[in-house]
Amino acid sequence: MSKIIGFPLGLIMWLLYQITHNYAWSIVFFTIITKILLFPLSVKQQKSAAAMTAFQPKLEKLKKQYGNNQQKLQEEQMKLYAEEGINPMASCLPLFIQFPLLYGIFDVVYRPISHIIRAEDDVILKATEICRNIFTQNGGTVPAYFNARPEIYIVKEIQNAVKNNTGAFDGLNDPEFVNSVAEFNNKLFGIVDLGDIPSLHPEVWNAAAVILLMIPIMSGIIQLFMTIYSQIRNKKMNPDAPSMAGMNVMLYVMPLFSVWIAFKYPAGIGFYWTMSSLFSCIQSMILYKIYTPEYVASLVEKDKAKRKKKARPNMMERYQQLMEEQMAQAQQQNGGKVPAKAGGIAVSSAADEEEDKPEVKISKAKQKEYERMIIREARRRQAEKYGEEFIDDDGE
Protein backbone atom coordinates (compact mmCIF):
# COMPACT_ATOMS: atom_id res chain seq x y z
CA MET A 1 0.00 0.00 0.00
CA SER A 2 2.84 2.40 0.82
CA LYS A 3 4.26 2.11 -2.71
CA ILE A 4 0.85 2.69 -4.31
CA ILE A 5 0.23 5.82 -2.24
CA GLY A 6 3.88 6.82 -2.43
CA PHE A 7 3.90 6.99 -6.24
CA PRO A 8 1.71 10.12 -6.65
CA LEU A 9 3.27 11.69 -3.55
CA GLY A 10 6.69 10.98 -5.05
CA LEU A 11 5.72 12.92 -8.17
CA ILE A 12 4.75 15.90 -6.04
CA MET A 13 8.00 15.63 -4.07
CA TRP A 14 10.02 15.34 -7.29
CA LEU A 15 8.40 18.50 -8.67
CA LEU A 16 9.07 20.41 -5.45
CA TYR A 17 12.69 19.25 -5.43
CA GLN A 18 13.12 20.55 -8.98
CA ILE A 19 12.02 23.95 -7.69
CA THR A 20 13.82 24.07 -4.33
CA HIS A 21 16.82 21.78 -4.99
CA ASN A 22 16.65 20.92 -1.30
CA TYR A 23 14.99 17.86 0.22
CA ALA A 24 14.15 19.56 3.54
CA TRP A 25 12.41 22.49 1.85
CA SER A 26 10.59 20.03 -0.40
CA ILE A 27 9.17 18.36 2.71
CA VAL A 28 8.08 21.75 4.12
CA PHE A 29 6.23 22.74 0.94
CA PHE A 30 4.87 19.22 0.54
CA THR A 31 3.38 19.46 4.05
CA ILE A 32 1.76 22.80 3.19
CA ILE A 33 0.26 21.33 0.00
CA THR A 34 -1.18 18.31 1.83
CA LYS A 35 -2.65 20.60 4.51
CA ILE A 36 -4.31 22.72 1.82
CA LEU A 37 -5.73 19.61 0.14
CA LEU A 38 -7.05 18.31 3.47
CA PHE A 39 -8.28 21.71 4.66
CA PRO A 40 -11.96 21.12 3.71
CA LEU A 41 -11.90 17.91 5.74
CA SER A 42 -10.23 19.72 8.63
CA VAL A 43 -12.96 22.37 8.55
CA LYS A 44 -15.59 19.65 8.61
CA GLN A 45 -13.79 17.93 11.49
CA GLN A 46 -13.58 21.17 13.48
CA LYS A 47 -17.22 21.97 12.82
CA SER A 48 -18.31 18.47 13.86
CA ALA A 49 -16.13 18.50 16.99
CA ALA A 50 -17.53 21.90 18.03
CA ALA A 51 -21.08 20.74 17.37
CA MET A 52 -20.52 17.59 19.44
CA THR A 53 -19.13 19.68 22.30
CA ALA A 54 -22.21 21.91 22.30
CA PHE A 55 -24.39 18.82 21.89
CA GLN A 56 -22.92 17.01 24.91
CA PRO A 57 -25.35 18.38 27.57
CA LYS A 58 -28.31 16.87 25.68
CA LEU A 59 -26.59 13.48 25.62
CA GLU A 60 -25.87 13.71 29.34
CA LYS A 61 -29.53 14.45 29.98
CA LEU A 62 -30.50 11.28 28.11
CA LYS A 63 -27.96 9.24 30.08
CA LYS A 64 -29.47 10.42 33.35
CA GLN A 65 -32.97 9.70 32.10
CA TYR A 66 -32.35 6.26 30.57
CA GLY A 67 -29.17 5.17 32.34
CA ASN A 68 -30.73 1.92 33.54
CA ASN A 69 -32.04 0.93 30.11
CA GLN A 70 -29.20 0.72 27.58
CA GLN A 71 -31.41 -0.29 24.65
CA LYS A 72 -33.75 2.64 25.26
CA LEU A 73 -30.77 4.97 25.73
CA GLN A 74 -29.22 3.94 22.39
CA GLU A 75 -32.58 4.33 20.69
CA GLU A 76 -33.11 7.84 22.06
CA GLN A 77 -29.52 8.82 21.24
CA MET A 78 -30.01 7.76 17.62
CA LYS A 79 -33.22 9.79 17.46
CA LEU A 80 -31.46 12.83 18.91
CA TYR A 81 -28.55 12.51 16.46
CA ALA A 82 -31.07 12.33 13.61
CA GLU A 83 -33.02 15.33 14.85
CA GLU A 84 -29.90 17.46 15.28
CA GLY A 85 -28.30 16.23 12.06
CA ILE A 86 -25.04 15.27 13.79
CA ASN A 87 -22.79 12.40 12.72
CA PRO A 88 -20.60 11.41 15.72
CA MET A 89 -18.02 9.79 13.39
CA ALA A 90 -17.53 12.84 11.14
CA SER A 91 -14.60 14.21 13.16
CA CYS A 92 -12.65 10.94 12.67
CA LEU A 93 -12.58 11.05 8.85
CA PRO A 94 -9.45 13.26 8.46
CA LEU A 95 -7.54 10.90 10.79
CA PHE A 96 -8.44 7.90 8.65
CA ILE A 97 -7.17 9.74 5.57
CA GLN A 98 -3.93 10.97 7.16
CA PHE A 99 -2.71 7.51 8.22
CA PRO A 100 -2.53 6.15 4.61
CA LEU A 101 -0.90 9.46 3.67
CA LEU A 102 1.76 8.82 6.29
CA TYR A 103 2.47 5.40 4.75
CA GLY A 104 3.04 7.15 1.43
CA ILE A 105 5.41 9.61 3.10
CA PHE A 106 7.37 6.69 4.55
CA ASP A 107 7.82 5.31 1.04
CA VAL A 108 8.94 8.67 -0.37
CA VAL A 109 11.50 9.19 2.41
CA TYR A 110 12.71 5.59 2.24
CA ARG A 111 13.18 5.69 -1.55
CA PRO A 112 14.60 9.08 -2.57
CA ILE A 113 16.50 7.50 -5.49
CA SER A 114 13.28 6.08 -6.95
CA HIS A 115 11.03 9.08 -6.33
CA ILE A 116 13.30 12.11 -6.69
CA ILE A 117 16.37 10.99 -8.66
CA ARG A 118 14.04 8.63 -10.59
CA ALA A 119 16.64 5.98 -11.37
CA GLU A 120 15.82 2.66 -13.04
CA ASP A 121 15.09 -0.34 -10.81
CA ASP A 122 17.94 -2.46 -12.24
CA VAL A 123 20.48 0.29 -11.50
CA ILE A 124 19.19 0.59 -7.94
CA LEU A 125 19.42 -3.20 -7.55
CA LYS A 126 23.06 -3.22 -8.68
CA ALA A 127 23.87 -0.31 -6.35
CA THR A 128 22.21 -2.22 -3.50
CA GLU A 129 24.49 -5.23 -4.06
CA ILE A 130 27.60 -3.03 -4.20
CA CYS A 131 26.50 -1.33 -0.99
CA ARG A 132 25.95 -4.71 0.67
CA ASN A 133 29.46 -5.81 -0.34
CA ILE A 134 30.92 -2.63 1.15
CA PHE A 135 29.28 -3.43 4.51
CA THR A 136 30.33 -7.09 4.58
CA GLN A 137 33.94 -6.67 3.48
CA ASN A 138 36.60 -7.23 6.14
CA GLY A 139 34.11 -9.20 8.25
CA GLY A 140 31.62 -6.36 8.61
CA THR A 141 27.85 -6.74 8.99
CA VAL A 142 24.90 -5.32 7.09
CA PRO A 143 22.99 -2.63 9.06
CA ALA A 144 19.73 -3.79 10.66
CA TYR A 145 17.48 -1.63 8.48
CA PHE A 146 19.37 -2.03 5.21
CA ASN A 147 16.89 -4.47 3.65
CA ALA A 148 13.92 -2.25 4.58
CA ARG A 149 15.40 1.01 3.26
CA PRO A 150 18.49 0.33 1.10
CA GLU A 151 18.20 3.56 -0.93
CA ILE A 152 18.96 5.69 2.13
CA TYR A 153 22.20 3.76 2.67
CA ILE A 154 23.02 3.89 -1.05
CA VAL A 155 22.80 7.70 -0.99
CA LYS A 156 25.12 7.91 2.02
CA GLU A 157 27.66 5.40 0.63
CA ILE A 158 27.77 6.98 -2.86
CA GLN A 159 28.22 10.46 -1.38
CA ASN A 160 31.02 9.15 0.86
CA ALA A 161 32.65 7.32 -2.07
CA VAL A 162 32.60 10.43 -4.28
CA LYS A 163 33.81 12.65 -1.44
CA ASN A 164 36.72 10.29 -0.64
CA ASN A 165 37.29 9.32 -4.30
CA THR A 166 37.28 5.58 -3.52
CA GLY A 167 35.66 4.49 -6.79
CA ALA A 168 33.54 1.96 -4.90
CA PHE A 169 30.65 2.34 -7.35
CA ASP A 170 32.65 2.38 -10.59
CA GLY A 171 31.35 -1.13 -11.27
CA LEU A 172 27.93 0.35 -12.08
CA ASN A 173 29.30 1.82 -15.31
CA ASP A 174 26.77 4.63 -14.86
CA PRO A 175 28.60 7.84 -13.92
CA GLU A 176 25.45 9.90 -14.54
CA PHE A 177 23.59 7.97 -11.84
CA VAL A 178 26.51 8.24 -9.39
CA ASN A 179 26.78 12.00 -9.96
CA SER A 180 23.01 12.49 -9.51
CA VAL A 181 23.06 10.67 -6.19
CA ALA A 182 26.21 12.46 -5.06
CA GLU A 183 24.60 15.85 -5.80
CA PHE A 184 21.31 14.96 -4.09
CA ASN A 185 20.79 17.61 -1.39
CA ASN A 186 19.10 15.90 1.54
CA LYS A 187 20.60 18.15 4.18
CA LEU A 188 18.63 20.18 6.72
CA PHE A 189 20.33 23.52 7.41
CA GLY A 190 23.13 22.19 5.22
CA ILE A 191 24.48 19.89 7.94
CA VAL A 192 21.83 17.33 8.99
CA ASP A 193 21.37 14.27 6.79
CA LEU A 194 17.62 13.52 6.75
CA GLY A 195 18.47 9.89 6.07
CA ASP A 196 20.08 9.57 9.52
CA ILE A 197 18.16 8.25 12.51
CA PRO A 198 18.13 10.49 15.64
CA SER A 199 19.88 9.01 18.64
CA LEU A 200 20.25 9.77 22.33
CA HIS A 201 23.79 8.39 22.13
CA PRO A 202 25.43 9.65 18.91
CA GLU A 203 29.02 8.77 18.10
CA VAL A 204 29.95 12.45 18.19
CA TRP A 205 28.06 15.31 19.81
CA ASN A 206 28.12 18.07 17.21
CA ALA A 207 25.62 20.52 15.71
CA ALA A 208 24.15 17.85 13.41
CA ALA A 209 23.64 15.42 16.32
CA VAL A 210 21.93 18.11 18.42
CA ILE A 211 19.55 19.11 15.60
CA LEU A 212 18.78 15.45 14.92
CA LEU A 213 17.91 15.01 18.61
CA MET A 214 15.70 18.10 18.59
CA ILE A 215 13.52 16.80 15.73
CA PRO A 216 11.73 14.12 17.84
CA ILE A 217 11.62 16.39 20.90
CA MET A 218 10.03 19.27 18.96
CA SER A 219 7.57 16.87 17.39
CA GLY A 220 6.39 15.74 20.84
CA ILE A 221 6.29 19.28 22.27
CA ILE A 222 4.15 20.62 19.41
CA GLN A 223 1.78 17.64 19.64
CA LEU A 224 1.47 18.12 23.41
CA PHE A 225 0.80 21.86 23.03
CA MET A 226 -1.90 21.16 20.46
CA THR A 227 -3.53 18.57 22.77
CA ILE A 228 -3.55 20.90 25.80
CA TYR A 229 -4.82 23.81 23.71
CA SER A 230 -7.66 21.69 22.31
CA GLN A 231 -8.64 20.52 25.80
CA ILE A 232 -8.73 24.10 27.09
CA ARG A 233 -10.83 25.29 24.15
CA ASN A 234 -13.29 22.38 24.46
CA LYS A 235 -13.68 22.99 28.20
CA LYS A 236 -14.27 26.67 27.56
CA MET A 237 -16.94 25.89 24.97
CA ASN A 238 -18.68 23.38 27.26
CA PRO A 239 -17.76 23.86 30.95
CA ASP A 240 -20.34 21.30 32.10
CA ALA A 241 -18.98 18.48 29.93
CA PRO A 242 -17.91 15.44 31.98
CA SER A 243 -14.26 14.46 32.13
CA MET A 244 -13.42 11.59 29.76
CA ALA A 245 -10.36 10.09 31.43
CA GLY A 246 -9.86 7.33 28.87
CA MET A 247 -9.96 9.76 25.95
CA ASN A 248 -7.60 12.17 27.73
CA VAL A 249 -5.07 9.37 28.22
CA MET A 250 -5.16 8.60 24.49
CA LEU A 251 -4.68 12.29 23.64
CA TYR A 252 -1.58 12.48 25.77
CA VAL A 253 -0.24 9.19 24.45
CA MET A 254 -0.16 10.58 20.90
CA PRO A 255 2.69 13.05 21.60
CA LEU A 256 4.74 10.17 23.04
CA PHE A 257 3.90 8.09 19.96
CA SER A 258 5.11 10.98 17.81
CA VAL A 259 8.44 11.06 19.67
CA TRP A 260 8.80 7.27 19.32
CA ILE A 261 8.26 7.43 15.54
CA ALA A 262 10.77 10.25 15.16
CA PHE A 263 13.43 8.25 17.04
CA LYS A 264 12.66 5.00 15.23
CA TYR A 265 12.78 6.17 11.61
CA PRO A 266 14.98 8.39 9.44
CA ALA A 267 14.98 12.09 10.31
CA GLY A 268 13.01 12.88 7.15
CA ILE A 269 9.97 11.15 8.70
CA GLY A 270 10.35 13.01 11.99
CA PHE A 271 10.89 16.30 10.17
CA TYR A 272 7.69 15.78 8.17
CA TRP A 273 5.81 14.80 11.35
CA THR A 274 7.09 17.95 13.10
CA MET A 275 6.14 20.24 10.21
CA SER A 276 2.74 18.57 9.93
CA SER A 277 2.09 19.05 13.66
CA LEU A 278 3.20 22.68 13.49
CA PHE A 279 0.89 23.55 10.58
CA SER A 280 -1.95 21.55 12.17
CA CYS A 281 -1.51 23.54 15.38
CA ILE A 282 -1.66 26.87 13.53
CA GLN A 283 -4.67 25.66 11.53
CA SER A 284 -6.50 24.53 14.68
CA MET A 285 -5.94 27.87 16.40
CA ILE A 286 -7.45 29.67 13.41
CA LEU A 287 -10.42 27.31 13.17
CA TYR A 288 -11.11 27.56 16.92
CA LYS A 289 -11.34 31.33 16.51
CA ILE A 290 -13.84 30.91 13.67
CA TYR A 291 -16.00 28.07 14.99
CA THR A 292 -17.27 29.55 18.23
CA PRO A 293 -20.26 27.87 20.00
CA GLU A 294 -22.58 30.60 18.72
CA TYR A 295 -21.39 30.21 15.13
CA VAL A 296 -21.65 26.41 15.29
CA ALA A 297 -25.21 26.68 16.66
CA SER A 298 -26.17 28.89 13.73
CA LEU A 299 -24.62 26.44 11.26
CA VAL A 300 -26.52 23.53 12.81
CA GLU A 301 -29.79 25.44 12.41
CA LYS A 302 -28.93 26.24 8.79
CA ASP A 303 -28.20 22.57 8.11
CA LYS A 304 -31.57 21.62 9.59
CA ALA A 305 -33.33 24.13 7.35
CA LYS A 306 -31.49 22.84 4.27
CA ARG A 307 -32.41 19.23 5.03
CA LYS A 308 -36.05 20.14 5.47
CA LYS A 309 -36.03 22.05 2.20
CA LYS A 310 -34.35 19.22 0.28
CA ALA A 311 -36.39 16.59 2.13
CA ARG A 312 -33.40 14.26 2.01
CA PRO A 313 -32.63 12.44 5.28
CA ASN A 314 -29.05 12.31 6.54
CA MET A 315 -27.31 9.12 7.67
CA MET A 316 -28.73 9.19 11.20
CA GLU A 317 -32.23 9.91 9.92
CA ARG A 318 -31.97 7.04 7.44
CA TYR A 319 -30.96 4.73 10.27
CA GLN A 320 -33.92 5.95 12.34
CA GLN A 321 -36.24 5.42 9.36
CA LEU A 322 -34.89 1.88 8.91
CA MET A 323 -35.57 1.12 12.58
CA GLU A 324 -39.15 2.36 12.23
CA GLU A 325 -39.74 0.25 9.11
CA GLN A 326 -38.39 -2.86 10.80
CA MET A 327 -40.53 -2.29 13.88
CA ALA A 328 -43.63 -1.76 11.73
CA GLN A 329 -42.90 -5.05 9.92
CA ALA A 330 -42.48 -6.79 13.27
CA GLN A 331 -45.80 -5.35 14.38
CA GLN A 332 -47.54 -6.79 11.31
CA GLN A 333 -45.93 -10.18 11.87
CA ASN A 334 -47.00 -10.17 15.53
CA GLY A 335 -50.62 -9.25 14.63
CA GLY A 336 -53.10 -7.25 16.66
CA LYS A 337 -53.12 -3.58 17.56
CA VAL A 338 -50.79 -1.80 19.89
CA PRO A 339 -50.49 1.76 21.13
CA ALA A 340 -49.34 4.26 18.53
CA LYS A 341 -45.94 4.57 20.21
CA ALA A 342 -43.87 1.51 21.04
CA GLY A 343 -40.35 1.62 22.42
CA GLY A 344 -40.26 5.42 22.00
CA ILE A 345 -40.77 5.23 18.18
CA ALA A 346 -44.07 6.04 16.55
CA VAL A 347 -45.46 3.16 14.47
CA SER A 348 -48.85 2.71 12.83
CA SER A 349 -50.27 0.51 10.11
CA ALA A 350 -52.21 1.60 7.03
CA ALA A 351 -55.17 -0.50 8.15
CA ASP A 352 -55.35 1.45 11.41
CA GLU A 353 -55.47 4.76 9.52
CA GLU A 354 -58.15 3.53 7.12
CA GLU A 355 -60.42 2.02 9.77
CA ASP A 356 -59.72 4.86 12.23
CA LYS A 357 -60.58 2.57 15.12
CA PRO A 358 -59.86 3.48 18.73
CA GLU A 359 -56.60 2.28 20.22
CA VAL A 360 -56.64 -1.05 22.05
CA LYS A 361 -55.35 -0.72 25.61
CA ILE A 362 -53.06 -3.37 27.00
CA SER A 363 -51.39 -3.89 30.36
CA LYS A 364 -48.00 -2.39 31.19
CA ALA A 365 -46.46 -5.86 31.38
CA LYS A 366 -47.72 -6.71 27.89
CA GLN A 367 -46.56 -3.30 26.66
CA LYS A 368 -43.00 -3.89 27.93
CA GLU A 369 -42.97 -7.41 26.51
CA TYR A 370 -44.07 -6.07 23.14
CA GLU A 371 -41.41 -3.32 23.19
CA ARG A 372 -38.69 -5.88 23.93
CA MET A 373 -39.94 -8.03 21.05
CA ILE A 374 -39.95 -5.05 18.66
CA ILE A 375 -36.40 -4.01 19.58
CA ARG A 376 -35.16 -7.62 19.39
CA GLU A 377 -36.69 -8.03 15.94
CA ALA A 378 -35.21 -4.72 14.73
CA ARG A 379 -31.75 -5.75 15.92
CA ARG A 380 -32.10 -9.14 14.23
CA ARG A 381 -33.05 -7.55 10.91
CA GLN A 382 -30.24 -5.01 11.23
CA ALA A 383 -27.74 -7.86 11.78
CA GLU A 384 -29.09 -9.73 8.73
CA LYS A 385 -28.83 -6.61 6.58
CA TYR A 386 -25.11 -6.15 7.34
CA GLY A 387 -24.23 -9.87 7.52
CA GLU A 388 -23.48 -9.80 11.23
CA GLU A 389 -24.19 -12.46 13.83
CA PHE A 390 -27.29 -11.74 15.89
CA ILE A 391 -26.90 -12.40 19.62
CA ASP A 392 -30.13 -12.38 21.61
CA ASP A 393 -29.35 -10.74 24.94
CA ASP A 394 -32.66 -12.01 26.33
CA GLY A 395 -31.54 -15.58 25.75
CA GLU A 396 -34.44 -16.40 23.43
Side-chain angles (χ1 to χ4, degrees):
M1 184 179 71
S2 60
K3 289 185 179 181
I4 295 174
I5 301 174
F7 179 75
L9 297 182
L11 289 176
I12 297 174
M13 191 71 80
W14 171 80
L15 179 61
L16 291 172
Y17 185 83
Q18 302 309 305
I19 298 171
T20 63
H21 300 289
N22 183 277
Y23 192 43
W25 278 111
S26 298
I27 291 177
V28 172
F29 288 120
F30 177 83
T31 307
I32 294 173
I33 290 173
T34 55
K35 289 299 177 185
I36 292 173
L37 292 175
L38 293 174
F39 185 74
L41 288 175
S42 298
V43 170
K44 188 173 182 180
Q45 179 189 30
Q46 190 72 22
K47 176 183 171 182
S48 178
M52 281 297 298
T53 302
F55 182 66
Q56 198 65 33
K58 296 182 180 179
L59 287 178
E60 291 303 313
K61 185 177 179 181
L62 286 181
K63 290 178 181 179
K64 290 179 181 179
Q65 187 175 356
Y66 301 105
N68 296 328
N69 189 339
Q70 289 300 313
Q71 289 184 350
K72 182 68 174 177
L73 175 60
Q74 292 176 7
E75 181 183 316
E76 292 298 323
Q77 284 178 336
M78 297 303 290
K79 286 176 62 179
L80 189 59
Y81 281 130
E83 290 170 3
E84 297 292 333
I86 292 177
N87 181 0
M89 298 301 295
S91 60
C92 300
L93 182 59
L95 295 177
F96 291 137
I97 293 177
Q98 289 183 43
F99 273 110
L101 186 67
L102 188 60
Y103 274 106
I105 291 293
F106 283 174
D107 189 66
V108 173
V109 175
Y110 282 174
R111 304 198 300 147
I113 298 176
S114 296
H115 290 294
I116 297 177
I117 299 174
R118 307 186 72 79
E120 297 294 334
D121 290 343
D122 58 338
V123 176
I124 297 175
L125 185 61
K126 291 177 182 177
T128 301
E129 291 305 315
I130 293 175
C131 200
R132 190 188 303 275
N133 293 333
I134 292 174
F135 290 132
T136 56
Q137 65 184 3
N138 299 324
T141 59
V142 176
Y145 296 104
F146 178 75
N147 293 327
R149 37 183 180 260
E151 293 188 22
I152 292 175
Y153 292 95
I154 292 172
V155 171
K156 292 177 66 68
E157 291 303 319
I158 288 180
Q159 289 179 346
N160 288 334
V162 171
K163 181 180 179 180
N164 298 320
N165 196 26
T166 62
F169 289 86
D170 290 346
L172 285 175
N173 296 320
D174 194 340
E176 184 178 349
F177 167 77
V178 173
N179 290 334
S180 297
V181 175
E183 294 172 0
F184 177 59
N185 185 2
N186 63 339
K187 299 293 194 295
L188 175 64
F189 304 129
I191 57 174
V192 179
D193 189 337
L194 290 179
D196 287 341
I197 300 176
S199 173
L200 292 171
H201 306 286
E203 294 181 2
V204 179
W205 278 107
N206 51 25
V210 172
I211 295 174
L212 270 175
L213 180 64
M214 289 304 297
I215 289 176
I217 294 174
M218 289 303 300
S219 176
I221 289 174
I222 295 173
Q223 286 265 343
L224 182 62
F225 172 80
M226 187 164 60
T227 298
I228 295 173
Y229 178 76
S230 299
Q231 292 288 297
I232 293 173
R233 291 295 304 181
N234 290 337
K235 192 65 177 177
K236 189 175 181 180
M237 290 175 66
N238 187 12
D240 299 327
S243 177
M244 301 175 67
M247 183 62 71
N248 289 340
V249 169
M250 286 301 297
L251 289 173
Y252 289 104
V253 164
M254 285 305 295
L256 295 177
F257 177 69
S258 175
V259 173
W260 178 82
I261 283 184
F263 269 116
K264 190 75 174 178
Y265 296 96
I269 295 290
F271 183 64
Y272 164 77
W273 196 276
T274 303
M275 290 296 101
S276 180
S277 299
L278 177 62
F279 290 126
S280 293
C281 188
I282 295 172
Q283 179 178 273
S284 294
M285 295 176 72
I286 295 172
L287 290 176
Y288 272 123
K289 291 291 184 181
I290 296 174
Y291 288 94
T292 61
E294 297 77 15
Y295 183 53
V296 170
S298 67
L299 290 178
V300 170
E301 292 302 321
K302 288 180 181 179
D303 288 343
K304 286 183 182 179
K306 286 180 181 179
R307 287 198 308 274
K308 288 181 180 179
K309 185 179 294 185
K310 293 181 179 180
R312 293 181 62 184
N314 61 22
M315 185 188 76
M316 305 304 294
E317 291 170 335
R318 289 196 298 270
Y319 181 83
Q320 178 71 12
Q321 184 179 359
L322 176 63
M323 292 288 291
E324 291 180 5
E325 291 174 357
Q326 291 174 344
M327 294 174 74
Q329 291 174 8
Q331 177 190 0
Q332 293 175 2
Q333 292 176 0
N334 188 56
K337 294 181 181 295
V338 294
K341 286 189 177 181
I345 300 179
V347 292
S348 61
S349 66
D352 291 338
E353 295 176 2
E354 291 176 1
E355 296 174 8
D356 195 24
K357 292 182 179 180
E359 190 179 273
V360 177
K361 294 183 178 180
I362 60 176
S363 66
K364 289 185 178 180
K366 289 288 185 181
Q367 171 74 11
K368 289 183 178 180
E369 181 181 352
Y370 176 77
E371 289 178 0
R372 286 196 297 269
M373 183 276 292
I374 289 294
I375 293 173
R376 187 165 58 250
E377 178 65 16
R379 290 171 57 205
R380 184 185 68 79
R381 290 177 177 272
Q382 188 76 359
E384 288 180 355
K385 180 178 177 65
Y386 294 101
E388 299 174 351
E389 181 182 359
F390 172 63
I391 300 176
D392 191 349
D393 295 335
D394 292 339
E396 299 179 6

